[in-house]
Amino acid sequence: VLIWGPRAKNGFPSQNQPLQVQIRRDFGSSAFLVPNDIVFRGQTPATVLTWPMHTGPTTVKAEPLPTHRLLIESRRQDRTISRAGITRAHCLTYEESGFVTKFVQSLTVGHRKDRSANSYWPPTVFFPSIAPMSDLSHTDKNRTNETVELLQQLIRNKCVNTGESDSGEEIRNSDLLETFLEGPGVEVERFDCLPGRRSMVARLEGTNPSAPSLCLMGHTDVVPVSPDGWSRDPFGGELVEGEVWGRGAVDMLNLTSSMAVAFRHLARNGFRPEGDLVYFGVADEEAGGTYGAKWMAEHHWDAISADYVLTEFGGLPIDTPDGKKITLAAGEKGLGWRRLTVKGTPGHGSMPFGSDNAVLKAAEIIRRLGEYRPDAKLTEMWQHQVSTLDLGPDVKAALLDPASVWDTISKLDSPALARHLHACTHTTFSPNVIHGGVKTNVIPDSVEIDVDIRTAPGDSDRVDQHLRDALGELFDEIEIRPIHDDPATFSSTDTPMWHLLQELMQKAHPGAPLIPSLIVGATDARFYREKGSVAYGAGLFSERVNSSDFMSRFHGHDERVDIDSLALTTQLWLDVASNFWEKVNR
Ligand SMILES: [Zn+2]
């Protein structure tokens, strides 16, 4: 393996001068080998690496390299590429004067057995993104290891929430956290909404009853998996090439575990916060909080109340045309789930002509919902978000105009980006469940349609008006029943906590400003915001994380998190709790 780039002043490539990477291998005819773990020998500035997309052949050119050359050696056993011809999670270890940073990049090797015109031959190595490394010098290896271990255990406890009241069994994770956290000075309480649906609260009492309280809230449940789509055991909690794998690794057992490690470390070292420091390990976030945060807010608010709350999810570095920025969730969309009941008149299925068939009416209602175009809701958060997009100035201007935002989004190249941007700017309507009819030869007189409606900020009390606009005269043919109603919520970005997070995140990502982001799903933060608390979705992720690839791991296949991110996040909670009250008093 060779890596080279233009010689810079100090003898090594500089940030603006892309490095070239080539892997040379003698390939057999049926399988390819790629080195699995590569050690980088040589001193190199930590900020050096901007790696270009490299799509050329993998053989090294014969001509002498005109530039500085670094030799790397393969350290571990080679690995045969899977039958699909693709291997991922290629690990490079990077050593520099006692400072070791690991980063993983996604390496894809195209592989075709034949040499037909459209096949890759010789095999082509793509480097989609190798980001520079994060500075981990301010983090503590022991704390990081504790987070890794606790995260693995939380994953293995498999607290899968299907939405059924008897699923989740968060008692396993709750008890694990209780055992982990209990000790001198820590008050622990547990709350069983239903058998098995346990939440727990640990508290370090503040020295000043009038000082603001701070809650670190992590949910203990995870969503189900489709095991066929996974390359590893979704509940194995395996540590592979610097990443912890498993359901919940990013949503959000990574935060739940790192918060517990920070809390315990502070408690064991005699830390006395000025206001109460609360750790809240909560059940049932993934099904709306009915047996978790919602129930706790209604029945045990005293146990969990806090002036400031940190929970999922933010702290993701993203590359923008104006440089790196870090997202922090300041708000989320509302839920306005509705069940629409469509009525008809029963009759014999052998004579359908002119019948009042509820299924046919429901079909038209669903079609209209699919075509409905609500007005755009463009917030200040949206302006920040548009500024981060790598799109031309005309496109960006069109995205900021309520009249053109829908059409502009529909013309974007990336369907995933379009979906997300649309959700950020509109109240959305997705008819997701339909029940109706009783028998093949009976014309149905009733159909129920469950519509997942997500309200944009400022739109939460207009759900039924939207349905009227969408359905026209058919609106009068349906009964509407709310299934779930929670308004969109938002916390100000001008708070001591916001400013503190802005400062602390600089340690990992120097110079990167925080930008407020809107979560298009729902988190437990909304229960706090509705009570007047300031709640942000935080965390801190490393350079190893590629933001778009990363987002697909939420509720997706192959969910995993890198250890660097766990190190940064654990340290973030420690720093937040250690500095928060001083910041408030300043
Ligand atoms: Zn979550």
Side-chain angles (χ1 to χ4, degrees), residues 219 221 250-253 285-286 312-313 522-524 554-555:
H219 65 77
D221 60 327
V250 294
D251 184 9
M252 66 173 287
L253 303 179
E285 191 276 340
E286 294 291 1
E312 61 187 341
F313 128 80
T523 76
D524 285 338
F554 282 77
H555 299 196

